[in-house]
Amino acid sequence: MTGLASAAPCSNLLSRHVRAGKVYRREDLLPYSNSVDRELQRLVSAGTLRKLAQGLYFKPKKNVFGEVPPDEKDLLAAFLRDKNFLSFNPSVYNSLRLGTTQLYNKTVVYNHKRHGQFKLGNRTYDFRVKHRFPKPAQVTPEFLLVDMLNNLSELAEDEVDVLDHAQRKLASFDQKLLRKMLEEYGSVATKRRVGGWLAQQTGQAALAPSVAAPMMAHD
């Protein structure tokens, strides 16, 4: 009887601590129960919590349409134990208008800790360890171009057509920023390819005055 009485306060404490709409790791909840695994199992069985992955839990928040899924930023930060990551859907490359048209049902997550595909709740995320990547607010068309070219072989696109579009429209990008993104985030192959395009573009610009000069002299 004493054991049941002592377990109840811990159970209530854990229930009171978790807030609707929040994601928790098991270790975050250790201070609120003397038997956290048993209490988590009970709360999951009761529907109070949802188990998203091993050691990862979510207390659903409801609106008139039903349960609201966890905020993706909170979910990924809890899973990674790190707020430094960049998540995106490859469909974002379509915004560059370089001939890409496919829509993708996946989320890629650049981060410093995890690599591989992991299912969190009902969604599967493609985690990729990268030494460097911009903050979400610093993502520009120039970065997207470099990143798209880095990953072009993985995309369901006509590579030759996309490369042709990219080369022809290269001048429409901020050249200084493009060179910076290329240096910081480009793969060896992308640096070689875009570097060649830029050199060719510069060479063509340099030739323009020498072609125009004779015409002016002739006039």
Side-chain angles (χ1 to χ4, degrees), residues 96 98 141-142 165-166 168-175 201:
L96 297 173
L98 297 177
E142 290 73 22
H165 275 78
R168 286 191 289 107
K169 294 187 177 182
L170 199 66
S172 65
F173 292 86
D174 182 311
Q175 302 296 287
Q201 181 177 280

Side-chain angles (χ1 to χ4, degrees), residues 75-126:
L75 171 63
L76 295 175
F79 178 72
L80 292 169
R81 297 189 183 91
D82 189 1
K83 295 182 178 181
N84 187 16
F85 59 86
L86 176 65
S87 63
F88 64 96
N89 183 303
S91 304
V92 73
Y93 299 140
N94 297 347
S95 65
L96 297 173
R97 301 184 183 279
L98 297 177
T100 60
T101 58
Q102 298 294 320
L103 299 177
Y104 298 88
N105 185 28
K106 71 173 182 177
T107 300
V108 176
V109 186
Y110 290 165
N111 70 99
H112 297 306
K113 295 186 173 183
R114 296 282 195 129
H115 192 85
Q117 295 194 355
F118 295 87
K119 187 174 182 180
L120 305 179
N122 296 323
R123 298 191 62 184
T124 299
Y125 293 86
D126 184 358

